[in-house]
Amino acid sequence: MSFEQALDVVTLGTADVAVIPVDNSTAGRDADLHHLLPESGLPIAASTSSPSAST
């Protein structure tokens, strides 16, 4: 499922939430998500971080 599809199912009410990675230590920030999230009108409800597999 793409980020866009995940946001769509939440917007349509098919899912209650989506857990989406905003950035990662290998590829960095996801530019598509930073464009899609504001357009979706969905809030960021929580954030977390996890150790990199390379550390």
Side-chain angles (χ1 to χ4, degrees):
M1 178 178 289
S2 70
F3 292 152
E4 186 172 13
Q5 291 169 323
L7 295 174
D8 284 346
V9 297
V10 176
T11 301
L12 295 171
T14 307
D16 294 327
V17 298
V19 178
I20 306 287
V22 175
D23 59 43
N24 66 59
S25 60
T26 303
R29 183 179 133 163
D30 187 287
D32 288 340
L33 183 59
H34 287 273
H35 172 74
L36 294 170
L37 188 56
E39 287 183 353
S40 74
L42 296 171
I44 296 174
S47 66
T48 188
S49 62
S50 60
S52 169
S54 63
T55 60

mmCIF file of all heavy atoms in Angstrom:
data_model
loop_
_atom_site.group_PDB
_atom_site.id
_atom_site.type_symbol
_atom_site.label_atom_id
_atom_site.label_comp_id
_atom_site.label_asym_id
_atom_site.label_seq_id
_atom_site.Cartn_x
_atom_site.Cartn_y
_atom_site.Cartn_z
ATOM 1 N N MET A 1 0.854 -1.173 0.000
ATOM 2 C CA MET A 1 0.000 0.000 0.000
ATOM 3 C C MET A 1 0.899 1.234 0.000
ATOM 4 O O MET A 1 1.853 1.316 0.756
ATOM 5 C CB MET A 1 -0.903 -0.032 1.238
ATOM 6 C CG MET A 1 -1.810 1.168 1.354
ATOM 7 S SD MET A 1 -2.932 1.119 2.774
ATOM 8 C CE MET A 1 -4.066 -0.139 2.283
ATOM 9 N N SER A 2 0.571 2.196 -0.802
ATOM 10 C CA SER A 2 1.344 3.440 -0.863
ATOM 11 C C SER A 2 0.949 4.362 0.291
ATOM 12 O O SER A 2 -0.088 4.166 0.942
ATOM 13 C CB SER A 2 1.090 4.150 -2.194
ATOM 14 O OG SER A 2 -0.232 4.673 -2.233
ATOM 15 N N PHE A 3 1.773 5.379 0.532
ATOM 16 C CA PHE A 3 1.419 6.380 1.545
ATOM 17 C C PHE A 3 0.089 7.034 1.186
ATOM 18 O O PHE A 3 -0.758 7.254 2.040
ATOM 19 C CB PHE A 3 2.498 7.459 1.653
ATOM 20 C CG PHE A 3 3.801 6.981 2.212
ATOM 21 C CD1 PHE A 3 4.973 7.606 1.857
ATOM 22 C CD2 PHE A 3 3.884 5.914 3.084
ATOM 23 C CE1 PHE A 3 6.194 7.197 2.366
ATOM 24 C CE2 PHE A 3 5.085 5.482 3.602
ATOM 25 C CZ PHE A 3 6.248 6.134 3.235
ATOM 26 N N GLU A 4 -0.081 7.364 -0.085
ATOM 27 C CA GLU A 4 -1.314 8.021 -0.532
ATOM 28 C C GLU A 4 -2.528 7.133 -0.261
ATOM 29 O O GLU A 4 -3.552 7.606 0.241
ATOM 30 C CB GLU A 4 -1.229 8.358 -2.011
ATOM 31 C CG GLU A 4 -2.409 9.162 -2.510
ATOM 32 C CD GLU A 4 -2.221 9.664 -3.931
ATOM 33 O OE1 GLU A 4 -1.307 9.212 -4.636
ATOM 34 O OE2 GLU A 4 -3.028 10.521 -4.332
ATOM 35 N N GLN A 5 -2.425 5.844 -0.543
ATOM 36 C CA GLN A 5 -3.526 4.920 -0.280
ATOM 37 C C GLN A 5 -3.812 4.814 1.217
ATOM 38 O O GLN A 5 -4.974 4.770 1.626
ATOM 39 C CB GLN A 5 -3.209 3.537 -0.853
ATOM 40 C CG GLN A 5 -3.206 3.492 -2.361
ATOM 41 C CD GLN A 5 -2.627 2.194 -2.903
ATOM 42 O OE1 GLN A 5 -1.679 1.642 -2.345
ATOM 43 N NE2 GLN A 5 -3.197 1.716 -3.994
ATOM 44 N N ALA A 6 -2.768 4.767 2.024
ATOM 45 C CA ALA A 6 -2.951 4.679 3.474
ATOM 46 C C ALA A 6 -3.684 5.908 4.009
ATOM 47 O O ALA A 6 -4.590 5.791 4.836
ATOM 48 C CB ALA A 6 -1.600 4.519 4.163
ATOM 49 N N LEU A 7 -3.307 7.077 3.536
ATOM 50 C CA LEU A 7 -3.990 8.300 3.969
ATOM 51 C C LEU A 7 -5.433 8.323 3.472
ATOM 52 O O LEU A 7 -6.333 8.763 4.185
ATOM 53 C CB LEU A 7 -3.229 9.532 3.484
ATOM 54 C CG LEU A 7 -1.826 9.712 4.071
ATOM 55 C CD1 LEU A 7 -1.126 10.894 3.402
ATOM 56 C CD2 LEU A 7 -1.862 9.877 5.573
ATOM 57 N N ASP A 8 -5.647 7.828 2.255
ATOM 58 C CA ASP A 8 -7.008 7.790 1.698
ATOM 59 C C ASP A 8 -7.940 6.909 2.514
ATOM 60 O O ASP A 8 -9.083 7.291 2.764
ATOM 61 C CB ASP A 8 -6.994 7.303 0.247
ATOM 62 C CG ASP A 8 -6.505 8.344 -0.740
ATOM 63 O OD1 ASP A 8 -6.420 9.538 -0.366
ATOM 64 O OD2 ASP A 8 -6.206 7.959 -1.888
ATOM 65 N N VAL A 9 -7.485 5.714 2.939
ATOM 66 C CA VAL A 9 -8.383 4.833 3.696
ATOM 67 C C VAL A 9 -8.756 5.436 5.051
ATOM 68 O O VAL A 9 -9.873 5.238 5.531
ATOM 69 C CB VAL A 9 -7.836 3.392 3.853
ATOM 70 C CG1 VAL A 9 -7.704 2.713 2.514
ATOM 71 C CG2 VAL A 9 -6.543 3.343 4.624
ATOM 72 N N VAL A 10 -7.856 6.215 5.643
ATOM 73 C CA VAL A 10 -8.192 6.896 6.898
ATOM 74 C C VAL A 10 -9.156 8.043 6.619
ATOM 75 O O VAL A 10 -10.155 8.211 7.320
ATOM 76 C CB VAL A 10 -6.923 7.394 7.622
ATOM 77 C CG1 VAL A 10 -7.300 8.182 8.868
ATOM 78 C CG2 VAL A 10 -6.019 6.224 7.989
ATOM 79 N N THR A 11 -8.895 8.808 5.580
ATOM 80 C CA THR A 11 -9.775 9.924 5.223
ATOM 81 C C THR A 11 -11.191 9.435 4.916
ATOM 82 O O THR A 11 -12.176 10.068 5.302
ATOM 83 C CB THR A 11 -9.209 10.685 4.010
ATOM 84 O OG1 THR A 11 -7.906 11.168 4.348
ATOM 85 C CG2 THR A 11 -10.080 11.864 3.628
ATOM 86 N N LEU A 12 -11.297 8.289 4.244
ATOM 87 C CA LEU A 12 -12.602 7.731 3.879
ATOM 88 C C LEU A 12 -13.290 7.001 5.032
ATOM 89 O O LEU A 12 -14.451 6.627 4.926
ATOM 90 C CB LEU A 12 -12.442 6.772 2.693
ATOM 91 C CG LEU A 12 -11.989 7.407 1.389
ATOM 92 C CD1 LEU A 12 -11.665 6.332 0.354
ATOM 93 C CD2 LEU A 12 -13.050 8.359 0.861
ATOM 94 N N GLY A 13 -12.572 6.789 6.135
ATOM 95 C CA GLY A 13 -13.150 6.120 7.283
ATOM 96 C C GLY A 13 -13.047 4.602 7.238
ATOM 97 O O GLY A 13 -13.590 3.921 8.090
ATOM 98 N N THR A 14 -12.358 4.066 6.239
ATOM 99 C CA THR A 14 -12.166 2.620 6.142
ATOM 100 C C THR A 14 -11.220 2.126 7.235
ATOM 101 O O THR A 14 -11.335 1.000 7.698
ATOM 102 C CB THR A 14 -11.599 2.251 4.752
ATOM 103 O OG1 THR A 14 -12.454 2.816 3.754
ATOM 104 C CG2 THR A 14 -11.514 0.768 4.538
ATOM 105 N N ALA A 15 -10.298 2.970 7.647
ATOM 106 C CA ALA A 15 -9.375 2.665 8.746
ATOM 107 C C ALA A 15 -9.410 3.820 9.737
ATOM 108 O O ALA A 15 -9.698 4.957 9.356
ATOM 109 C CB ALA A 15 -7.962 2.468 8.220
ATOM 110 N N ASP A 16 -9.129 3.513 10.987
ATOM 111 C CA ASP A 16 -9.119 4.558 12.020
ATOM 112 C C ASP A 16 -7.820 5.347 12.027
ATOM 113 O O ASP A 16 -7.822 6.544 12.304
ATOM 114 C CB ASP A 16 -9.337 3.947 13.403
ATOM 115 C CG ASP A 16 -10.721 3.338 13.544
ATOM 116 O OD1 ASP A 16 -11.673 3.865 12.937
ATOM 117 O OD2 ASP A 16 -10.841 2.342 14.268
ATOM 118 N N VAL A 17 -6.707 4.675 11.775
ATOM 119 C CA VAL A 17 -5.391 5.316 11.808
ATOM 120 C C VAL A 17 -4.488 4.694 10.754
ATOM 121 O O VAL A 17 -4.753 3.603 10.251
ATOM 122 C CB VAL A 17 -4.709 5.173 13.187
ATOM 123 C CG1 VAL A 17 -5.518 5.854 14.273
ATOM 124 C CG2 VAL A 17 -4.457 3.726 13.526
ATOM 125 N N ALA A 18 -3.418 5.391 10.464
ATOM 126 C CA ALA A 18 -2.343 4.855 9.622
ATOM 127 C C ALA A 18 -1.028 5.173 10.316
ATOM 128 O O ALA A 18 -0.855 6.266 10.851
ATOM 129 C CB ALA A 18 -2.369 5.471 8.232
ATOM 130 N N VAL A 19 -0.134 4.211 10.334
ATOM 131 C CA VAL A 19 1.204 4.426 10.889
ATOM 132 C C VAL A 19 2.132 4.606 9.701
ATOM 133 O O VAL A 19 2.337 3.684 8.916
ATOM 134 C CB VAL A 19 1.649 3.237 11.764
ATOM 135 C CG1 VAL A 19 3.060 3.463 12.274
ATOM 136 C CG2 VAL A 19 0.665 3.028 12.904
ATOM 137 N N ILE A 20 2.646 5.818 9.540
ATOM 138 C CA ILE A 20 3.417 6.192 8.362
ATOM 139 C C ILE A 20 4.803 6.663 8.787
ATOM 140 O O ILE A 20 4.919 7.558 9.630
ATOM 141 C CB ILE A 20 2.724 7.353 7.599
ATOM 142 C CG1 ILE A 20 1.269 6.999 7.262
ATOM 143 C CG2 ILE A 20 3.511 7.750 6.376
ATOM 144 C CD1 ILE A 20 1.086 6.006 6.172
ATOM 145 N N PRO A 21 5.863 6.128 8.194
ATOM 146 C CA PRO A 21 7.200 6.642 8.507
ATOM 147 C C PRO A 21 7.425 7.989 7.827
ATOM 148 O O PRO A 21 7.219 8.131 6.626
ATOM 149 C CB PRO A 21 8.134 5.573 7.936
ATOM 150 C CG PRO A 21 7.351 4.958 6.828
ATOM 151 C CD PRO A 21 5.911 5.023 7.250
ATOM 152 N N VAL A 22 7.801 8.976 8.593
ATOM 153 C CA VAL A 22 8.033 10.309 8.039
ATOM 154 C C VAL A 22 9.439 10.418 7.461
ATOM 155 O O VAL A 22 9.658 11.020 6.424
ATOM 156 C CB VAL A 22 7.783 11.393 9.108
ATOM 157 C CG1 VAL A 22 8.134 12.768 8.586
ATOM 158 C CG2 VAL A 22 6.343 11.337 9.567
ATOM 159 N N ASP A 23 10.395 9.820 8.136
ATOM 160 C CA ASP A 23 11.755 9.775 7.610
ATOM 161 C C ASP A 23 12.470 8.557 8.172
ATOM 162 O O ASP A 23 11.981 7.913 9.078
ATOM 163 C CB ASP A 23 12.546 11.055 7.882
ATOM 164 C CG ASP A 23 12.686 11.384 9.348
ATOM 165 O OD1 ASP A 23 12.947 10.485 10.166
ATOM 166 O OD2 ASP A 23 12.549 12.567 9.681
ATOM 167 N N ASN A 24 13.609 8.254 7.582
ATOM 168 C CA ASN A 24 14.394 7.139 8.101
ATOM 169 C C ASN A 24 15.874 7.449 7.967
ATOM 170 O O ASN A 24 16.271 8.350 7.219
ATOM 171 C CB ASN A 24 14.019 5.816 7.415
ATOM 172 C CG ASN A 24 14.379 5.778 5.966
ATOM 173 O OD1 ASN A 24 15.531 5.923 5.598
ATOM 174 N ND2 ASN A 24 13.393 5.562 5.113
ATOM 175 N N SER A 25 16.679 6.710 8.690
ATOM 176 C CA SER A 25 18.109 7.024 8.735
ATOM 177 C C SER A 25 18.842 6.683 7.448
ATOM 178 O O SER A 25 19.931 7.190 7.204
ATOM 179 C CB SER A 25 18.763 6.290 9.907
ATOM 180 O OG SER A 25 18.600 4.899 9.762
ATOM 181 N N THR A 26 18.258 5.858 6.606
ATOM 182 C CA THR A 26 18.906 5.482 5.348
ATOM 183 C C THR A 26 18.544 6.437 4.223
ATOM 184 O O THR A 26 19.402 6.976 3.543
ATOM 185 C CB THR A 26 18.506 4.046 4.942
ATOM 186 O OG1 THR A 26 18.848 3.173 6.005
ATOM 187 C CG2 THR A 26 19.205 3.625 3.681
ATOM 188 N N ALA A 27 17.245 6.644 4.028
ATOM 189 C CA ALA A 27 16.786 7.449 2.889
ATOM 190 C C ALA A 27 16.461 8.890 3.261
ATOM 191 O O ALA A 27 16.236 9.715 2.386
ATOM 192 C CB ALA A 27 15.560 6.798 2.263
ATOM 193 N N GLY A 28 16.385 9.189 4.550
ATOM 194 C CA GLY A 28 16.061 10.551 4.963
ATOM 195 C C GLY A 28 14.568 10.820 4.919
ATOM 196 O O GLY A 28 13.748 9.918 5.011
ATOM 197 N N ARG A 29 14.234 12.052 4.752
ATOM 198 C CA ARG A 29 12.846 12.514 4.751
ATOM 199 C C ARG A 29 12.126 12.048 3.494
ATOM 200 O O ARG A 29 12.687 12.036 2.409
ATOM 201 C CB ARG A 29 12.887 14.035 4.816
ATOM 202 C CG ARG A 29 11.586 14.709 4.888
ATOM 203 C CD ARG A 29 11.832 16.179 4.975
ATOM 204 N NE ARG A 29 10.951 16.821 4.029
ATOM 205 C CZ ARG A 29 10.649 18.090 4.027
ATOM 206 N NH1 ARG A 29 11.227 18.886 4.870
ATOM 207 N NH2 ARG A 29 9.823 18.583 3.163
ATOM 208 N N ASP A 30 10.849 11.684 3.625
ATOM 209 C CA ASP A 30 10.057 11.284 2.469
ATOM 210 C C ASP A 30 9.313 12.499 1.929
ATOM 211 O O ASP A 30 8.353 12.962 2.525
ATOM 212 C CB ASP A 30 9.074 10.174 2.849
ATOM 213 C CG ASP A 30 8.377 9.631 1.628
ATOM 214 O OD1 ASP A 30 7.505 10.344 1.089
ATOM 215 O OD2 ASP A 30 8.725 8.517 1.190
ATOM 216 N N ALA A 31 9.762 13.002 0.788
ATOM 217 C CA ALA A 31 9.198 14.231 0.212
ATOM 218 C C ALA A 31 7.739 14.062 -0.169
ATOM 219 O O ALA A 31 6.935 14.984 0.001
ATOM 220 C CB ALA A 31 10.016 14.670 -0.993
ATOM 221 N N ASP A 32 7.349 12.891 -0.680
ATOM 222 C CA ASP A 32 5.957 12.668 -1.064
ATOM 223 C C ASP A 32 5.032 12.814 0.133
ATOM 224 O O ASP A 32 3.981 13.439 0.040
ATOM 225 C CB ASP A 32 5.763 11.276 -1.673
ATOM 226 C CG ASP A 32 6.356 11.147 -3.062
ATOM 227 O OD1 ASP A 32 6.577 12.184 -3.716
ATOM 228 O OD2 ASP A 32 6.599 10.003 -3.481
ATOM 229 N N LEU A 33 5.428 12.237 1.248
ATOM 230 C CA LEU A 33 4.587 12.306 2.432
ATOM 231 C C LEU A 33 4.436 13.740 2.917
ATOM 232 O O LEU A 33 3.357 14.156 3.318
ATOM 233 C CB LEU A 33 5.158 11.431 3.548
ATOM 234 C CG LEU A 33 4.299 11.374 4.806
ATOM 235 C CD1 LEU A 33 2.907 10.833 4.493
ATOM 236 C CD2 LEU A 33 4.962 10.547 5.856
ATOM 237 N N HIS A 34 5.494 14.520 2.858
ATOM 238 C CA HIS A 34 5.426 15.911 3.306
ATOM 239 C C HIS A 34 4.547 16.753 2.390
ATOM 240 O O HIS A 34 4.123 17.837 2.763
ATOM 241 C CB HIS A 34 6.829 16.503 3.438
ATOM 242 C CG HIS A 34 7.556 15.960 4.625
ATOM 243 N ND1 HIS A 34 7.442 16.513 5.878
ATOM 244 C CD2 HIS A 34 8.360 14.890 4.764
ATOM 245 C CE1 HIS A 34 8.162 15.815 6.738
ATOM 246 N NE2 HIS A 34 8.725 14.821 6.092
ATOM 247 N N HIS A 35 4.244 16.243 1.213
ATOM 248 C CA HIS A 35 3.302 16.894 0.299
ATOM 249 C C HIS A 35 1.890 16.355 0.545
ATOM 250 O O HIS A 35 0.927 17.112 0.547
ATOM 251 C CB HIS A 35 3.743 16.637 -1.146
ATOM 252 C CG HIS A 35 2.772 17.085 -2.175
ATOM 253 N ND1 HIS A 35 2.578 18.412 -2.491
ATOM 254 C CD2 HIS A 35 1.939 16.382 -2.962
ATOM 255 C CE1 HIS A 35 1.652 18.503 -3.422
ATOM 256 N NE2 HIS A 35 1.255 17.286 -3.731
ATOM 257 N N LEU A 36 1.776 15.038 0.754
ATOM 258 C CA LEU A 36 0.469 14.395 0.885
ATOM 259 C C LEU A 36 -0.208 14.664 2.220
ATOM 260 O O LEU A 36 -1.428 14.849 2.272
ATOM 261 C CB LEU A 36 0.618 12.876 0.712
ATOM 262 C CG LEU A 36 1.045 12.383 -0.655
ATOM 263 C CD1 LEU A 36 1.390 10.891 -0.599
ATOM 264 C CD2 LEU A 36 -0.054 12.628 -1.676
ATOM 265 N N LEU A 37 0.547 14.668 3.301
ATOM 266 C CA LEU A 37 -0.067 14.802 4.623
ATOM 267 C C LEU A 37 -0.829 16.119 4.795
ATOM 268 O O LEU A 37 -1.991 16.091 5.216
ATOM 269 C CB LEU A 37 0.978 14.620 5.725
ATOM 270 C CG LEU A 37 0.453 14.542 7.143
ATOM 271 C CD1 LEU A 37 -0.581 13.427 7.303
ATOM 272 C CD2 LEU A 37 1.579 14.353 8.126
ATOM 273 N N PRO A 38 -0.266 17.259 4.454
ATOM 274 C CA PRO A 38 -1.046 18.500 4.597
ATOM 275 C C PRO A 38 -2.311 18.504 3.724
ATOM 276 O O PRO A 38 -3.353 19.000 4.145
ATOM 277 C CB PRO A 38 -0.081 19.595 4.154
ATOM 278 C CG PRO A 38 1.272 19.011 4.334
ATOM 279 C CD PRO A 38 1.113 17.543 4.058
ATOM 280 N N GLU A 39 -2.212 17.925 2.533
ATOM 281 C CA GLU A 39 -3.381 17.875 1.649
ATOM 282 C C GLU A 39 -4.487 16.990 2.199
ATOM 283 O O GLU A 39 -5.659 17.201 1.919
ATOM 284 C CB GLU A 39 -2.978 17.362 0.263
ATOM 285 C CG GLU A 39 -2.188 18.360 -0.548
ATOM 286 C CD GLU A 39 -1.878 17.843 -1.947
ATOM 287 O OE1 GLU A 39 -2.159 16.662 -2.238
ATOM 288 O OE2 GLU A 39 -1.347 18.628 -2.739
ATOM 289 N N SER A 40 -4.132 15.977 2.981
ATOM 290 C CA SER A 40 -5.118 15.034 3.501
ATOM 291 C C SER A 40 -5.990 15.658 4.583
ATOM 292 O O SER A 40 -7.108 15.212 4.805
ATOM 293 C CB SER A 40 -4.427 13.792 4.063
ATOM 294 O OG SER A 40 -3.810 14.088 5.313
ATOM 295 N N GLY A 41 -5.446 16.662 5.281
ATOM 296 C CA GLY A 41 -6.177 17.260 6.388
ATOM 297 C C GLY A 41 -6.120 16.423 7.661
ATOM 298 O O GLY A 41 -6.746 16.770 8.652
ATOM 299 N N LEU A 42 -5.375 15.319 7.633
ATOM 300 C CA LEU A 42 -5.261 14.461 8.811
ATOM 301 C C LEU A 42 -4.199 15.001 9.760
ATOM 302 O O LEU A 42 -3.173 15.509 9.315
ATOM 303 C CB LEU A 42 -4.893 13.035 8.384
ATOM 304 C CG LEU A 42 -5.921 12.304 7.526
ATOM 305 C CD1 LEU A 42 -5.338 11.001 6.999
ATOM 306 C CD2 LEU A 42 -7.188 12.051 8.322
ATOM 307 N N PRO A 43 -4.430 14.873 11.059
ATOM 308 C CA PRO A 43 -3.429 15.335 12.021
ATOM 309 C C PRO A 43 -2.372 14.267 12.287
ATOM 310 O O PRO A 43 -2.593 13.077 12.058
ATOM 311 C CB PRO A 43 -4.249 15.567 13.289
ATOM 312 C CG PRO A 43 -5.318 14.514 13.196
ATOM 313 C CD PRO A 43 -5.654 14.437 11.707
ATOM 314 N N ILE A 44 -1.236 14.692 12.784
ATOM 315 C CA ILE A 44 -0.251 13.765 13.328
ATOM 316 C C ILE A 44 -0.646 13.566 14.783
ATOM 317 O O ILE A 44 -0.622 14.507 15.575
ATOM 318 C CB ILE A 44 1.177 14.324 13.209
ATOM 319 C CG1 ILE A 44 1.554 14.472 11.741
ATOM 320 C CG2 ILE A 44 2.163 13.416 13.947
ATOM 321 C CD1 ILE A 44 2.894 15.144 11.504
ATOM 322 N N ALA A 45 -1.035 12.342 15.131
ATOM 323 C CA ALA A 45 -1.555 12.083 16.471
ATOM 324 C C ALA A 45 -0.464 11.732 17.464
ATOM 325 O O ALA A 45 -0.617 11.944 18.660
ATOM 326 C CB ALA A 45 -2.585 10.954 16.414
ATOM 327 N N ALA A 46 0.632 11.184 16.976
ATOM 328 C CA ALA A 46 1.718 10.787 17.863
ATOM 329 C C ALA A 46 2.981 10.604 17.027
ATOM 330 O O ALA A 46 2.914 10.507 15.807
ATOM 331 C CB ALA A 46 1.383 9.489 18.581
ATOM 332 N N SER A 47 4.098 10.587 17.698
ATOM 333 C CA SER A 47 5.353 10.310 17.003
ATOM 334 C C SER A 47 6.210 9.430 17.885
ATOM 335 O O SER A 47 6.035 9.382 19.103
ATOM 336 C CB SER A 47 6.090 11.602 16.643
ATOM 337 O OG SER A 47 6.509 12.261 17.812
ATOM 338 N N THR A 48 7.099 8.717 17.252
ATOM 339 C CA THR A 48 8.006 7.843 17.968
ATOM 340 C C THR A 48 9.289 7.716 17.176
ATOM 341 O O THR A 48 9.340 8.116 16.014
ATOM 342 C CB THR A 48 7.379 6.454 18.215
ATOM 343 O OG1 THR A 48 8.218 5.704 19.069
ATOM 344 C CG2 THR A 48 7.152 5.713 16.921
ATOM 345 N N SER A 49 10.294 7.197 17.802
ATOM 346 C CA SER A 49 11.529 6.920 17.074
ATOM 347 C C SER A 49 12.034 5.562 17.517
ATOM 348 O O SER A 49 11.680 5.074 18.587
ATOM 349 C CB SER A 49 12.576 7.998 17.328
ATOM 350 O OG SER A 49 12.904 8.031 18.695
ATOM 351 N N SER A 50 12.797 4.966 16.677
ATOM 352 C CA SER A 50 13.378 3.675 17.019
ATOM 353 C C SER A 50 14.833 3.669 16.586
ATOM 354 O O SER A 50 15.213 4.412 15.672
ATOM 355 C CB SER A 50 12.608 2.540 16.360
ATOM 356 O OG SER A 50 12.646 2.681 14.959
ATOM 357 N N PRO A 51 15.639 2.860 17.215
ATOM 358 C CA PRO A 51 17.059 2.828 16.849
ATOM 359 C C PRO A 51 17.237 2.329 15.420
ATOM 360 O O PRO A 51 16.496 1.476 14.943
ATOM 361 C CB PRO A 51 17.683 1.862 17.847
ATOM 362 C CG PRO A 51 16.582 1.273 18.624
ATOM 363 C CD PRO A 51 15.321 1.968 18.283
ATOM 364 N N SER A 52 18.220 2.861 14.769
ATOM 365 C CA SER A 52 18.539 2.439 13.416
ATOM 366 C C SER A 52 19.148 1.052 13.445
ATOM 367 O O SER A 52 19.867 0.691 14.360
ATOM 368 C CB SER A 52 19.535 3.438 12.816
ATOM 369 O OG SER A 52 20.058 2.932 11.622
ATOM 370 N N ALA A 53 18.876 0.279 12.421
ATOM 371 C CA ALA A 53 19.443 -1.057 12.320
ATOM 372 C C ALA A 53 20.958 -0.992 12.138
ATOM 373 O O ALA A 53 21.669 -1.944 12.430
ATOM 374 C CB ALA A 53 18.814 -1.812 11.159
ATOM 375 N N SER A 54 21.445 0.148 11.676
ATOM 376 C CA SER A 54 22.879 0.297 11.435
ATOM 377 C C SER A 54 23.651 0.720 12.670
ATOM 378 O O SER A 54 24.864 0.818 12.640
ATOM 379 C CB SER A 54 23.118 1.305 10.309
ATOM 380 O OG SER A 54 22.650 2.574 10.690
ATOM 381 N N THR A 55 22.942 0.998 13.794
ATOM 382 C CA THR A 55 23.644 1.417 15.011
ATOM 383 C C THR A 55 23.830 0.280 15.966
ATOM 384 O O THR A 55 23.249 -0.725 15.909
ATOM 385 C CB THR A 55 22.910 2.559 15.739
ATOM 386 O OG1 THR A 55 21.610 2.118 16.104
ATOM 387 C CG2 THR A 55 22.869 3.778 14.900
#
